[in-house]
Amino acid sequence: MADVRPESLKRITTRAQADDFIADQIAAIKEQVGDKKVLLALSGGVDSSVVAALLIKAIGENLVCVHVNHGLLRKGEPEMVCKVFRDELGANLIYIDAVDRFLDLLAGVTDPEQKRHIIGEEFIKVFAEEAAKLDGISFLAQGTIYPDILESEQGIKAHHNVGGLPPELDFELVEPVKYLYKDEVRVVGSALGLPDNMVYRQPFPGPGLGVRCPGAITRDRLEAVRESDAILREEFEKAGLAGKVWQYFTVVPDFKSTGIKDEKRAFEWLCIVRAINTTDVVKCTVEPIDYDLMCRITDRITHEVPGINRVLYDYTPKPTATVEYE
Ligand code: XMP
């Protein structure tokens, strides 16, 4: 039977509506879970973060959050997850440093689909191993939102949260935001006290920076993607574009060109800046970036990021291009 948003659930646009929703969900979670333990894969994305904050309010220590660092996260993200959830919200958080494990597996892999597959499979393995170490877990919380349900029912995409969990993870699901749209999840996240940079975070693909490092991922080029992405985010923030442009990021392909650094020939990578706007992600337009801003970003990336001697801006809409490069 189709899983349909209840008619009684009105659109959540205000703080008062969010507070009511939070109170209702806390009661519902308490009733569903009782004094049992719940496990949650906390990526730092909006949806899983809001679910974590809700469950912490409802059941406190009985929520066990697992944050897997696969080495493909943006600069400062694992630290932010630990700071917000462990230090500020007092979450029972297990941090797994799986960076070497993922990067070793990905070494030399050039095919985009194979890269995605390895990242997805390994994530599930790491998570399942961690779950097996824990005693008395009966529930699995997920940041499923309403578009996930609609899209999986229409066959547009596999339900990204349910998709690949192995059968031995035989948990009952807790999905407190499954009838909400993204903008409603954000209102609830703010009402729960989560920081703006978490709540209004731009979309970030599951395979992370892995798809922005086209070709075989190497640690040095991955670092160049991470550092250039951090500079771009900083400059967009300063220019007041952070909440306005839908998605923006850098890509460092496995390609070098000749340049000059410190008056010497420098054969280094190029960095592509992409900034797009969209309402449905099916079609995207390119942000008409200000010339001076682009010069500043270029200057910073070529001088601050080791291995980059050239910056390009991608003017291609979707279609013909996709948003990501892989
Ligand atoms: P494309 O490149 O298909 O991207 O035009 C459309 C949107 O989807 C995001 N994206 C992904 N998100 N896992 C995700 O969770 C993925 O494998 C993935 N690939 C692309 C992309 O960032 C953009 O917002």
Side-chain angles (χ1 to χ4, degrees):
M1 208 182 76
D3 198 357
V4 181
R5 177 174 165 130
E7 267 176 34
S8 58
L9 182 59
K10 298 286 172 257
R11 288 284 291 184
I12 299 169
T13 57
T14 64
R15 172 67 196 254
Q17 287 166 326
D19 286 342
D20 288 346
F21 175 83
I22 292 165
D24 289 349
Q25 284 309 315
I26 288 175
I29 292 165
K30 281 185 173 161
E31 189 176 326
Q32 183 187 3
V33 170
D35 57 4
K36 301 252 170 57
K37 286 191 177 166
V38 181
L39 184 65
L40 169 74
L42 179 60
S43 66
V46 190
D47 308 332
S48 65
S49 295
V50 169
V51 168
L54 260 175
L55 276 140
I56 290 166
K57 273 203 188 304
I59 59 167
E61 287 267 299
N62 277 347
L63 172 71
V64 182
C65 300
V66 176
H67 179 61
V68 178
N69 181 359
H70 53 26
L72 306 166
L73 298 169
R74 292 184 301 187
K75 188 172 176 175
E77 284 196 328
E79 293 82 358
M80 181 170 79
V81 169
C82 291
K83 179 172 166 286
V84 170
F85 287 97
R86 186 182 282 155
D87 304 347
E88 291 170 16
L89 297 177
N92 188 355
L93 173 71
I94 300 171
Y95 169 78
I96 317 246
D97 180 345
V99 175
D100 287 338
R101 195 166 155 170
F102 278 81
L103 297 187
D104 288 350
L105 270 179
L106 288 163
V109 181
T110 54
D111 179 67
E113 288 312 307
Q114 206 188 337
K115 282 166 73 176
R116 265 201 169 71
H117 185 76
I118 290 171
I119 297 164
E121 288 273 294
E122 197 59 16
F123 187 88
I124 290 161
K125 259 194 216 161
V126 173
F127 189 67
E129 279 171 23
E130 225 34 60
K133 286 184 207 159
L134 300 164
D135 278 336
I137 303 274
S138 316
F139 296 87
L140 182 73
Q142 294 198 139
T144 312
I145 64 171
Y146 203 44
D148 298 331
I149 293 177
L150 296 177
E151 287 183 353
S152 65
E153 275 167 7
Q154 291 159 8
I156 295 171
K157 67 177 179 190
H159 196 322
H160 75 277
N161 286 319
V162 180
L165 283 182
E168 63 269 24
L169 286 187
D170 184 23
F171 298 127
E172 187 180 322
L173 294 179
V174 181
E175 298 178 299
V177 298
K178 73 172 179 175
Y179 294 124
L180 301 193
Y181 288 95
K182 195 75 158 194
D183 54 322
E184 298 177 284
V185 177
R186 292 198 159 113
V187 180
V188 171
S190 289
L192 284 163
L194 293 177
D196 277 2
N197 56 357
M198 198 169 248
V199 171
Y200 294 98
R201 184 180 188 260
Q202 44 169 326
F204 188 62
L209 301 181
V211 291
R212 296 175 183 171
C213 199
I217 299 169
T218 57
R219 287 168 197 252
D220 48 3
R221 202 154 47 83
L222 183 61
E223 213 39 45
V225 180
R226 202 183 330 266
E227 288 300 321
S228 54
D229 172 79
I231 291 173
L232 181 70
R233 284 194 282 147
E234 210 178 294
E235 290 299 325
F236 265 43
E237 177 86 48
K238 274 197 243 162
L241 294 175
K244 292 189 183 141
V245 179
W246 199 81
Q247 195 173 10
Y248 46 95
F249 54 87
T250 60
V251 179
V252 181
D254 190 8
F255 174 83
K256 286 185 175 177
S257 71
T258 304
I260 310 157
K261 272 196 185 168
D262 301 324
E263 295 168 29
K264 285 199 286 283
R265 179 180 183 274
F267 190 56
E268 295 184 337
W269 298 303
L270 51 85
C271 171
I272 301 165
V273 174
R274 186 130 175 85
I276 57 101
N277 290 303
T278 185
T279 47
D280 57 9
V281 206
V282 177
K283 285 187 175 172
C284 304
T285 56
V286 175
E287 169 72 13
I289 196 165
D290 174 74
Y291 177 78
D292 290 335
L293 173 61
M294 195 62 216
C295 289
R296 209 161 40 247
I297 290 167
T298 302
D299 187 66
R300 284 198 59 194
I301 292 178
T302 50
H303 287 91
E304 294 176 32
V305 182
I308 306 275
N309 66 356
R310 202 181 281 268
V311 174
L312 283 72
Y313 190 55
D314 185 346
Y315 274 100
T316 325
K318 177 180 179 178
T320 55
T322 50
V323 175
E324 304 288 349
Y325 274 55
E326 285 191 334

